[in-house]
Amino acid sequence: GENVEQHPSTLSVQEGDSAVIKCTYSDSASNYFPWYKQELGKGPQLIIDIRSNVGEKKDQRIAVTLNKTAKHFSLHITETQPEDSAVYFCAVHTGGFKTIFGAGTRLFVKA
Amino acid sequence: DAGVIQSPRHEVTEMGQEVTLRCKPISGHNSLFWYRQTMMRGLELLIYFNNNVPIDDSGMPEDRFSAKMPNASFSTLKIQPSEPRDSAVYFCASGSGTNTEAFFGQGTRLTVV
């Protein structure tokens, strides 16, 4: 089955710096790659996603890049703010409905 | 729309008791997912439904776990009998179509003592 690895597990940055989280996956048939943000006491919420026919997507301070050949994708957050502090999950769809999540990255943004 | 609604938000029960978690998906969504979240194992997909039909229950840990979706607006996850190792946050999520966003509820924090 699909295996998703996410790094790092914890990331601490200074406010205004950039944060990068990376994920690798194993199934080359995977075609949809969402990123979720989970705040304390809440369920994960989609922040950005990318499909297999696109290499990069940007939404304000957040961007995602995808390398299908190498089977990895990354989340980039620029100009980080304290409210970006949360747990971030990458996820992979292998067609259909099934979503496999990475282990999560706890991001701390220090003011 | 109020989003995915789960109840209860918190549940504390004694080992051996039956526990029922409830979920109301977003109206119009045809997929429903149950996830379990723990520190050790992260977010695990337990089971998902499409058009009220269970598609994949390979993530259900044991026969003690069962899930139903009697109609498009309601699903339950039942644990009978419950054990302390079942303690976790259980999330329900819904979506529409394939390869699309999953909308999560607030979760149910289950503690089995």
Side-chain angles (χ1 to χ4, degrees):
Chain A
E2 176 67 275
N3 183 43
V4 181
E5 293 192 2
Q6 182 171 346
H7 300 279
S9 57
T10 305
L11 179 59
S12 184
V13 300
Q14 203 68 38
E15 182 179 2
D17 288 350
S18 295
V20 180
I21 303 170
K22 299 181 180 181
C23 285
T24 60
Y25 59 97
S26 58
D27 191 341
S28 56
S30 299
N31 52 18
Y32 176 60
F33 308 88
W35 285 90
Y36 289 83
K37 176 183 180 182
Q38 185 177 25
E39 297 177 331
L40 197 62
K42 297 184 178 180
Q45 187 172 16
L46 182 81
I47 54 171
I48 195 168
D49 57 10
I50 191 168
R51 300 183 187 277
S52 58
N53 58 344
V54 176
E56 184 174 356
K57 183 176 179 181
K58 190 173 182 181
D59 182 3
Q60 299 183 343
R61 296 186 297 109
I62 295 173
V64 57
T65 57
L66 171 65
N67 184 328
K68 283 221 71 178
T69 303
K71 288 187 275 188
H72 68 70
F73 57 114
S74 301
L75 176 72
H76 305 254
I77 306 174
T78 58
E79 300 173 31
T80 53
Q81 301 168 3
E83 51 264 41
D84 295 330
S85 296
V87 180
Y88 292 81
F89 293 94
C90 63
V92 174
H93 285 230
T94 310
F97 309 96
K98 196 165 184 174
T99 306
I100 306 298
F101 283 84
T105 296
R106 188 171 296 276
L107 174 65
F108 296 96
V109 179
K110 297 176 286 187
Chain B
D1 199 316
V4 176
I5 300 173
Q6 291 186 245
S7 63
R9 288 295 311 277
H10 303 272
E11 176 80 33
V12 180
T13 190
E14 291 186 346
M15 182 173 68
Q17 295 298 306
E18 177 180 295
V19 175
T20 299
L21 310 182
R22 296 173 174 78
C23 176
K24 182 181 186 323
I26 292 173
S27 177
H29 283 186
N30 57 0
S31 301
L32 184 138
F33 311 85
W34 282 102
Y35 286 90
R36 178 172 68 176
Q37 186 174 37
T38 60
M39 288 294 293
M40 291 297 295
R41 302 175 68 91
L43 267 168
E44 300 175 274
L45 177 63
L46 302 178
I47 185 171
Y48 69 94
F49 296 82
N50 186 46
N51 293 325
N52 312 340
V53 176
I55 302 299
D56 185 343
D57 65 355
S58 59
M60 296 286 260
E62 298 171 35
D63 291 346
R64 299 184 295 106
F65 286 69
S66 62
K68 293 182 179 180
M69 191 165 186
N71 57 63
S73 58
F74 184 65
S75 177
T76 59
L77 178 67
K78 187 175 294 187
I79 308 172
Q80 165 65 13
S82 57
E83 296 182 5
R85 60 196 168 114
D86 300 331
S87 297
V89 180
Y90 290 81
F91 286 103
C92 175
S94 69
S96 58
T98 60
N99 296 331
T100 59
E101 175 182 3
F103 292 81
F104 282 78
Q106 298 274 56
T108 294
R109 181 174 294 278
L110 173 66
T111 304
V112 183
V113 299

